[in-house]
Amino acid sequence: MRSVPSSTVARLIMLVAAVGLWTAPVAAQAPPSRAVAASTTDKLRADRPIYRVGDTWARTDGVYELVRIDKDVYVFSGGPGKECYLTKDLGVARIVLDGRTELDIDPPPRLGWPLELGKWGVGRATWRSPPPRPLVQFTGAVNISWQVDAAEDLVTGAGTFRTLRIVQKIETVSGAFGGSGQLFGQFFLWYAPDVQRFVKAEGNLKGLSWELAGTARPPAPPVVASPPPAPLRPEPAPPAGPPPVAIPAPAPPRVTPPPPPVAAVPRGDTEAPKITINYPPPDARVGEETVLITGLVTDNVDVVRIQVLVNGVEATPLREVGVMGRGVPLSALAPLKPGPNVIEVIATDRAGNVAQVLRTVVRVVAVPAPGPAPTSAVPRR
């Protein structure tokens, strides 16, 4: 066999190492996906739907109807002053509530179809509506990232659906080189391939907290009426007698509707909720006076209470208080004092189990540079 020169082997090793160094950052860009317990949903795949004018979308915040299609944008109307704009890729482009534009993104994010667990994307856009809260030196430039981070069975008022969950984050762009800024928007969307709809939304932006209402599945086929029975042969009339006495019919028994079903708590449940804080990261150092705390709390039974404390003071929640479920997004805004700040998240489930997570954030305050030392006046002789 012909031997390979040692110099050639060295070059091959250097080439393989170079390829590895190039591909590693690409793989590292994808955020980690949450493990999925249900094996029936971990390989779920969804093709892009096509909507037509007149299609309806029954949600807990109103019944929306597709009133028109502007180029590549579906315009759903929920009544006077209520509109929801989705691209044909189902990116959230605009939300109007009570005649006020709460969200307007140009260009909106483009979801990658077919949807499946692990898909993600990042893009630059312009936030054209008033920001949901005051932002320092906000120019409208934002970074938008999305990821299909879970496949799960979701229980809603319209039934249980196999869904793909999409998490989307919006943060400001700071610096001349487009560095990461303040995370001010985060929401979750659950898409159900069986009904070709988003069946739930949850987040800290207005117009993105609702779920499917009523029935969302196609109606059953109409029942065909059976043919009328054949006419009977007339029988001779009975002999005339005294008129019959009318007997009042008994009143129908009053039926009490059954109470709505309540999820039963497993007997002897000792599993505490799991708290995941997405932002801020551990031992973060920030320069802002406030911090947006985001994350997710999950449990095997309903999570009934979430508290966020910063230095012992409860933070202002940015989502609807009282929302319960097995997966409840966490979102709160809190002021920071200069120096270390302790963030404490406490979650309680229906069985009374309590979980706690602590995190420290340091607010860095710029100290002005000292000026030149004053010179003492020397008296002249």
Side-chain angles (χ1 to χ4, degrees), residues 22-203:
W22 180 80
T23 57
V26 175
Q29 290 176 6
S33 299
R34 187 171 66 88
V36 180
S39 60
T40 58
T41 56
D42 57 1
K43 295 183 180 179
L44 190 60
R45 178 187 174 99
D47 293 322
R48 186 178 69 173
I50 298 176
Y51 301 148
R52 295 174 176 82
V53 174
D55 288 351
T56 57
W57 191 8
R59 303 171 3 185
T60 51
D61 62 343
V63 178
Y64 284 74
E65 180 181 355
L66 182 56
V67 293
R68 66 182 186 276
I69 301 175
D70 291 342
K71 296 182 180 179
D72 290 334
V73 177
Y74 296 117
V75 181
F76 288 86
S77 174
K82 293 178 64 177
E83 291 181 330
C84 178
Y85 292 65
L86 298 179
T87 67
K88 289 191 175 180
D89 291 327
L90 300 197
V92 180
R94 190 180 183 195
I95 294 177
V96 179
L97 296 177
D98 298 326
R100 171 186 168 89
T101 302
E102 301 289 350
L103 180 150
D104 190 357
I105 301 175
D106 183 35
R110 296 187 60 183
L111 305 183
W113 296 86
L115 284 181
E116 52 192 348
L117 187 63
K119 276 202 171 181
W120 62 280
V122 178
R124 179 72 61 85
T126 301
W127 181 278
R128 302 194 301 186
S129 54
R133 62 183 178 88
L135 299 172
V136 179
Q137 297 179 347
F138 181 53
T139 62
V142 295
N143 284 328
I144 302 178
S145 63
W146 63 270
Q147 183 195 7
V148 183
D149 71 331
E152 57 189 6
D153 293 329
L154 180 71
V155 179
T156 70
T160 302
F161 302 95
R162 301 175 61 214
T163 64
L164 291 168
R165 190 181 71 184
I166 305 167
V167 57
Q168 185 168 312
K169 300 179 181 180
I170 305 174
E171 62 182 5
T172 63
V173 175
S174 63
F177 299 99
S180 177
Q182 304 175 70
L183 178 67
F184 70 91
Q186 176 172 315
F187 57 90
F188 297 84
L189 293 168
W190 285 262
Y191 181 81
D194 290 344
V195 294
Q196 298 185 330
R197 293 283 190 280
F198 287 127
V199 296
K200 185 176 180 180
E202 188 68 51

Side-chain angles (χ1 to χ4, degrees), residues 203-262:
N204 66 339
L205 299 176
K206 290 186 178 180
L208 287 169
S209 292
W210 49 264
E211 68 177 35
L212 215 59
T215 177
R217 301 187 181 276
V223 178
V224 179
S226 57
L232 301 177
R233 295 173 56 187
E235 297 183 358
V245 179
I247 300 176
R254 185 174 182 179
V255 179
T256 304
V262 178

